[in-house]
Amino acid sequence: MSIQLTATAADIGLLSTCAFLGTIGASLTGFGQAIIFLFVWQIVELAGYNGDFKSAVFIQALSLFSMQPLVLYKAKPWKNAHRRVLYLFVPITLVSTPIGQLVSEDVPTNIVQAVA
């Protein structure tokens, strides 16, 4: 199995479209950026596109990360957030994110795609 180090125009176009549609969905609903991103990606893959699922997840994470400052500004968490929820949510996120990354190294991509 060889790793392709360069992206084709089709890769860039597809991942950009997925990021754009996912961000629009998150803007309209307040959540679901990853759901929409990977939904569009899987539709195109089922139509015959031969892409790398892990690369799609990585690009989706970058897309979500890039939209966070604006989302936080618009949500005004300093005004609207409940401290007790944040005291639980932030530590759980800080612990579960690295664990998820470690587990992703051992879980076959086919299982993740089946669940997605």
Side-chain angles (χ1 to χ4, degrees):
M1 180 179 189
S2 66
I3 298 175
Q4 183 181 352
L5 297 178
T6 59
T8 64
D11 294 334
I12 294 169
L14 172 60
L15 295 172
S16 297
T17 302
C18 290
F20 178 72
L21 294 174
T23 302
I24 287 176
S27 298
L28 293 174
T29 64
F31 69 97
Q33 198 262 1
I35 295 168
I36 296 169
F37 183 104
L38 294 174
F39 177 71
V40 172
W41 188 85
Q42 281 191 322
I43 287 173
V44 175
E45 186 182 55
L46 290 172
Y49 172 74
N50 187 18
D52 182 26
F53 183 70
K54 288 184 179 183
S55 294
V57 171
F58 175 73
I59 297 298
Q60 184 279 318
L62 285 178
S63 176
L64 182 62
F65 180 75
S66 68
M67 69 183 266
Q68 287 306 308
L70 182 60
V71 170
L72 286 173
Y73 174 75
K74 293 288 189 180
K76 296 182 178 40
W78 55 89
K79 233 171 96 173
N80 301 318
H82 298 284
R83 288 188 190 271
R84 290 180 13 195
V85 173
L86 290 176
Y87 287 146
L88 293 173
F89 180 73
V90 172
I92 289 171
T93 302
L94 290 174
V95 171
S96 63
T97 301
I99 290 173
Q101 181 60 36
L102 290 173
V103 171
S104 75
E105 295 294 324
D106 297 325
V107 176
T109 305
N110 296 344
I111 293 173
V112 177
Q113 286 180 317
V115 172

